[in-house]
Amino acid sequence: MFTSVLMIEKALTSADVEFVTGLHGDEEVAFHVLLQPRGEQAARLLRAIDDVALGSLDEAARELEAPAGEQAVSEGQRALDVSLVALRAAGAQAVGRLIEHHPLDSLKSLVEEADADEVIVLTDPHYVEEFFHRDWASRARHKVGVPVLKLFSHSKV
């Protein structure tokens, strides 16, 4: 069985599930999903800058309305639950947890704990972070000791 740690920032879409479950053909895959709830102030700013760079001014303005604190955790848990159900419905084994602080430390620990074969980072594009190699995938490549695949989510939820 192939073991993947899947880092996400929102609920997986059906296209995302089809994509990640099809990466290894007919081989059985177990996913360990990590989701960091939205709501951190610095992340909001970076998402707003990305939205402006893409010409999505309406989306940038909506970042002010993004949930924070307990509401962000609650919505994150729902997104994680939906994603796990979808992965299992597609025939994969899937377990997951929320991470609130130090996502790369949590990732490294989980890779070791699960004896993972790879890490898949599936997010919307984050151009500012990616340009400066501060996105999860770029930073994880120097930390986890297994291959890291960076994928972009197929659509916004």
Side-chain angles (χ1 to χ4, degrees):
M1 175 169 309
F2 201 84
T3 304
S4 294
V5 174
L6 177 60
M7 285 189 76
I8 59 176
E9 60 187 0
K10 64 181 185 179
L12 296 173
T13 65
S14 58
D16 293 334
V17 171
E18 185 178 334
F19 192 42
V20 298
T21 58
L23 286 173
H24 299 289
D26 292 334
E27 188 168 0
E28 199 171 333
V29 180
F31 289 99
H32 293 264
V33 183
L34 293 175
L35 184 141
Q36 183 173 31
R38 299 177 73 141
E40 184 183 311
Q41 203 59 28
R44 276 187 193 178
L45 176 61
L46 289 172
R47 287 192 308 267
I49 291 170
D50 284 338
D51 291 335
V52 169
L54 290 170
S56 301
L57 298 178
D58 291 342
E59 290 294 321
R62 273 190 271 261
E63 287 300 332
L64 293 173
E65 301 166 7
E70 283 301 312
Q71 183 182 2
V73 171
S74 177
E75 288 186 19
Q77 186 62 55
R78 279 193 299 277
L80 178 60
D81 293 343
V82 164
S83 299
L84 294 174
V85 167
L87 288 166
R88 291 175 190 141
Q93 293 182 21
V95 295
R97 61 182 140 183
L98 293 181
I99 47 173
E100 293 187 55
H101 305 289
H102 311 292
L104 293 175
D105 292 339
S106 297
L107 174 65
K108 182 176 185 194
S109 295
L110 182 55
V111 165
E112 292 169 359
E113 176 186 315
D115 195 24
D117 298 299
E118 70 180 355
V119 169
I120 301 171
V121 177
L122 180 71
T123 65
D124 288 333
H126 298 292
Y127 298 111
V128 173
E129 291 176 3
E130 289 164 18
F131 180 79
F132 291 108
H133 302 284
R134 301 303 304 155
D135 59 299
W136 285 343
S138 296
R139 292 168 45 207
R141 285 187 181 105
H142 303 287
K143 193 164 189 142
V144 297
V146 297
V148 176
L149 180 61
K150 168 68 175 164
L151 301 174
F152 292 120
S153 183
H154 282 75
S155 63
K156 294 197 177 224
V157 174

